[in-house]
Amino acid sequence: FTPQELAEISGEFTPSEFVRGVTGVDNVCERAAVRAGGELIVRKQAGGGVTVAVSREPLVISLEGESA
């Protein structure tokens, strides 16, 4: 996602001035997880040079077309 797309995501995200300086947005991993779809369920985790966040997209089951 572009910095502009990520900046448009509303919510409370863990800010980083370092990340802002490099990417132009204060948080990439949490914003990207939410932008990809769903609710943020694991906030920013960093280790070994990698930063991740996890979101969960709602599961929708459709029974359309099935007979009862």
Side-chain angles (χ1 to χ4, degrees), residues 44-52:
K44 178 171 80 172
Q45 303 290 308
V50 177
T51 305
V52 298

Side-chain angles (χ1 to χ4, degrees):
F1 305 111
T2 67
Q4 294 77 20
E5 289 173 318
L6 293 175
E8 291 173 358
I9 304 302
S10 62
E12 293 187 29
F13 303 107
T14 309
S16 166
E17 288 306 314
F18 173 77
V19 171
R20 183 189 310 273
V22 173
T23 67
V25 66
D26 66 346
N27 180 290
V28 172
C29 64
E30 291 173 350
R31 289 177 182 275
V34 172
R35 174 69 168 81
E39 168 192 8
L40 187 63
I41 60 170
V42 177
R43 292 202 165 274
K44 178 171 80 172
Q45 303 290 308
V50 177
T51 305
V52 298
V54 179
S55 65
R56 174 178 46 207
E57 190 170 346
L59 175 64
V60 178
I61 299 174
S62 173
L63 299 178
E64 188 175 307
E66 292 190 21
S67 59

